[in-house]
């Protein structure tokens, strides 16, 4: 177990080093991603200049949700780049064979072979916004709350990783670029706002089909004291575990398909 | 000599692909979106062979013969359509992680190293991936450095290496975990002559020092001549020949060619006087002539000397036959015996019977 852990951290640290080899690129990427994060937050702030509340949700509550959502999203983004580019880099350009030649699970290699440390800015900025909004809402942080924050961060990241692993697996079967990443990625945005404002139909999709509601909204109701979502809120780790298993199963199936079709 | 467990055993290995036939033009492209036509392609067709531990075997054949598909099945990257592979008692695709732990693979056209990392960092990471203890890894790198001379490259990022340097590092990388079985797909492709010689010398060395079994695919006959006492010839997915290289060469000796360019044209009859009836002369250009002869009857050196003595020669060459032409001849003339039945391949030098 310790050997496996040292292998995985070693693998990951090397990929970070490789990334840092291009300093200018790293800095410009950091700058661009900070800008994108700031724009998202600014959007929420400006929205509330026009309207007093959003379907019964106050500005601070929405900002709290938005900030909190950046924590699992940032963790996910450390690993996400290879999932987004999987079809091009690994299937079409043929790098996947190399992963099969190494005695390590392929998905683990894929996630750790290339990483973006700049995504940590999302975690930091998100935490800052959530803490600020939380203070305005008068939230007190107990030990249980902090623990739950950790659970939310990990579960959310796992759900995002699972969903995008499943999407990446599709290219095993089609051996082609699949244009589903962008539309699904856009749905992440919806999970950052109170789900009820989107109505029952979209709410159901975001809860049970592509469970981005569990990345932030449902588990965040723990902090906001909205007991209407109590059951779904505490089901978050279970949903994450279920999707992790589903993601692994689909990936395994995809690898099997690749190995019997690839050329 | 007792019968050792073969390093690799392949029985009736077959692999078919469904190939998507693209229609032509824009309209065809749009129709492809709606309905695709597939054709079944038998890339590897019921091939069987056995490789003993410590053997070096060349896998040759023209493009599209099925070499890469075969290697991919042997390394566990591809699942066979039918047939069996047993490597060290394991079925590669079924037991991938255990299998790849004890094989090494080099694909000449593609590096296994991380582009942006220094070579030594790639090596350290590979050591971790394969579970090689740090001390053993350092020792291994030292020994590989002694034959490959890579010490000076260790701190360089892979992307800054020349092709030859990269190939040496890739070879070293594939051997860090002391694999018993090595797959080399075009290990000398794109290298200059000096680098090619270096790689060949290295492969002979590791085969001698570590008794590594190796399967090598190549387009370069010299690789085969210098490395592989035994060759497998594939063509259109089928195993055409399994046996010593010498037998192929003997079959080929009967059609050795010599090309000569004279300073001024000479009558064909004057050339035909050289070498007598055993040599056939043709004029193939204004001042270029071609002799075809049996190397076992007429020595190329004697022929060359006679030419130089009697004519003003501007250029003279004895081209190496390409693998393609060898295979074409095997097909056309049945120049070598067909492969023996499955599992009864002729043993390598000093082999078992």
């Amino acid at each position: 177990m310790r050997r496996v852990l040292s292998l995985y951290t070693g693998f990951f640290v090397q990929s970070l080093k490789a990334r840092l080899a291009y300093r200018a690129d790293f800095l410009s990427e950091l700058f661009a991603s900070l800008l994108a994060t700031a724009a998202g937050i600014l959007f929420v702030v400006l929205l509330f200049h026009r309207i007093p509340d959003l379907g019964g949700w106050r500005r601070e509550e929405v900002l709290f949700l938005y900030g909190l959502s950046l924590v699992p999203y940032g963790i996910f983004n450390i690993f996400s780049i290879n999932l987004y580019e999987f079809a091009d880099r690994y299937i079409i350009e043929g790098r996947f064979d190399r992963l099969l030649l190494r005695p390590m699970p392929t998905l683990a290699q894929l996630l750790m072979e290339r990483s973006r440390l700049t995504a940590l800015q999302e975690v930091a900025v998100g935490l800052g916004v959530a803490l600020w909004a939380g203070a305005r809402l008068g939230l007190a942080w107990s030990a249980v709350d902090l623990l739950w924050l950790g659970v939310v961060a990990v579960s959310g990241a796992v759900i995002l990783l699972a969903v995008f692993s499943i999407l990446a697996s599709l290219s095993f079967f089609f051996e082609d670029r699949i244009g589903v990443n962008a539309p699904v990625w856009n749905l992440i945005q919806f999970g950052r706002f109170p789900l009820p404002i989107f109505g029952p139909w979209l709410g159901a999709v975001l809860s049970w089909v592509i469970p981005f509601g569990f990345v932030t909204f449902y588990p965040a109701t723990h902090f906001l004291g909205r007991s209407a979502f109590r059951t779904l809120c505490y089901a978050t780790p279970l949903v994450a575990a279920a999707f992790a298993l589903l993601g692994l199963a689909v990936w395994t199936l995809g690898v099997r398909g690749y190995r019997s079709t690839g050329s | 000599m007792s019968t050792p467990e073969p390093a690799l055993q392949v029985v009736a290995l077959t692999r078919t692909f469904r190939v998507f036939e693209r229609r032509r033009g824009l309209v065809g492209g749009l129709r492809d979106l709606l309905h695709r036509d597939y054709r079944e392609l038998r890339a590897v067709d019921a091939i069987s062979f056995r490789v003993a531990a410590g053997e070096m075997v060349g896998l040759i054949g023209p493009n599209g013969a099925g070499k890469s598909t075969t290697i991919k099945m042997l390394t566990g990257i591809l699942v066979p359509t039918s047939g069996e592979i047993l490597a060290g008692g394991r079925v590669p695709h079924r037991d991938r992680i255990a299998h790849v732990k004890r094989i090494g693979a080099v694909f000449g056209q593609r590096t296994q190293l991380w582009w942006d990392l220094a070579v030594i960092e790639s090596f350290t990471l590979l050591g971790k991936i394969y579970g090689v203890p740090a001390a053993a890894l350092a020792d291994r790198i030292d020994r590989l450095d002694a034959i490959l001379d890579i010490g000076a490259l260790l701190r360089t990022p892979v992307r800054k290496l020349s092709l030859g340097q990269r190939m040496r590092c890739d070879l070293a990388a594939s051997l860090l975990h002391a694999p018993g079985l090595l797959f080399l797909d075009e290990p000398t492709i794109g290298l200059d002559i000096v680098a090619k010689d270096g790689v060949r010398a290295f492969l002979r060395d590791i085969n001698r020092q570590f008794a590594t079994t190796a399967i090598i695919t190549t387009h370069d006959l010299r690789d085969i001549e210098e490395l592989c006492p035994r060759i497998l010839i594939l063509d259109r997915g089928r195993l055409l020949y399994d046996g010593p290289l010498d037998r192929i060469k003997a079959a080929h000796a009967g059609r050795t060619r010599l090309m000569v360019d004279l300073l001024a044209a000479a009558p064909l009859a004057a050339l035909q006087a050289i070498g007598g009836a055993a040599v056939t002369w043709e004029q193939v250009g204004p001042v270029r002539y071609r002799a075809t002869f049996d190397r076992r009857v007429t020595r190329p050196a004697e022929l060359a000397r006679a030419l130089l003595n009697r004519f003003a020669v501007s250029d003279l060459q004895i081209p190496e036959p390409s693998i393609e032409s060898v295979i074409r001849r095997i097909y056309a003339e049945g120049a070598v015996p067909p492969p023996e039945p499955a599992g009864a391949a002729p043993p390598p030098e000093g082999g078992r019977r």
Side-chain angles (χ1 to χ4, degrees), chain A:
Chain A
M1 189 62 213
R2 248 181 57 206
R3 199 187 77 72
V4 172
L5 209 66
S6 119
L7 161 62
Y8 283 50
T9 48
F11 203 90
F12 182 61
V13 167
Q14 291 301 345
S15 78
L16 289 180
K17 260 194 186 158
R19 190 67 196 79
L20 291 170
Y22 301 94
R23 202 167 9 163
D25 189 35
F26 176 79
L27 290 176
S28 65
E29 184 188 293
L30 179 63
F31 183 70
S33 85
L34 266 170
L35 219 59
T37 311
I41 295 162
L42 198 65
F43 169 75
V44 178
V45 174
L46 291 177
L47 189 68
F48 280 93
H49 265 285
R50 293 271 166 203
I51 50 170
D53 69 315
L54 196 60
W57 297 75
R58 283 184 291 151
R59 181 174 82 144
E60 277 70 22
E61 285 181 299
V62 175
L63 272 174
F64 179 83
L65 279 179
Y66 197 94
L68 187 66
S69 78
L70 291 177
V71 178
Y73 180 67
I75 298 174
F76 159 70
N77 268 342
I78 296 174
F79 305 100
S80 64
I81 184 87
N82 264 350
L83 290 178
Y84 295 149
E85 297 181 1
F86 180 68
D88 272 319
R89 282 178 64 87
Y90 286 84
I91 300 296
I92 295 171
E93 291 174 29
R95 287 190 179 83
F96 194 69
D97 288 356
R98 187 174 71 170
L99 302 193
L100 286 170
L101 283 174
R102 296 193 193 122
M104 252 178 103
T106 47
L107 185 58
Q109 291 185 65
L110 183 77
L111 293 180
M112 287 189 293
E113 200 162 48
R114 242 164 29 124
S115 45
R116 284 186 297 186
L117 207 54
T118 51
L120 282 177
Q121 64 81 14
E122 286 161 333
V123 177
V125 173
L127 268 181
V129 170
L131 287 177
W132 175 84
R136 301 271 303 218
L137 289 167
L139 300 186
W141 294 86
S142 69
V144 175
D145 294 334
L146 288 177
L147 189 71
W148 186 246
L149 180 67
V151 172
V152 175
V154 173
S155 306
V158 166
I159 290 172
L160 289 167
L161 284 170
V163 168
F164 284 92
S165 302
I166 292 170
L167 295 184
S169 315
L170 295 179
S171 21
F172 283 125
F173 300 106
F174 297 100
E175 292 179 52
D176 208 343
R177 291 180 194 87
I178 311 286
V180 289
N181 276 338
V184 174
W185 185 80
N186 283 324
L187 282 181
I188 296 177
Q189 191 70 8
F190 288 94
R192 296 185 167 137
F193 292 91
L195 280 197
I197 66 169
F198 300 119
W201 193 79
L202 191 53
V205 169
L206 289 170
S207 305
W208 307 116
V209 185
I210 304 171
F212 290 155
F214 288 94
V215 174
T216 315
F217 175 69
Y218 288 127
T221 57
H222 164 88
F223 301 107
L224 298 173
R226 298 256 181 173
S227 48
F229 307 99
R230 221 185 159 75
T231 320
L232 291 178
C233 168
Y234 297 111
T236 299
L238 293 178
V239 172
F243 265 80
L245 290 178
L246 182 68
L248 281 176
V250 174
W251 181 264
T252 310
L253 214 65
V255 174
R256 202 172 299 157
Y258 171 83
R259 296 208 290 155
S260 51
T261 58
S263 63

Side-chain angles (χ1 to χ4, degrees), chain B residues 148 164-165 168 188 190-202 204 222 226:
Chain B
L148 275 174
Q165 292 171 332
R168 268 146 63 204
T188 60
L191 300 184
D192 61 44
I193 295 190
V194 179
K196 275 184 193 219
D197 277 344
V199 167
R200 289 178 193 133
F202 168 72
R204 271 194 307 270
R222 293 280 305 234
E226 293 188 25

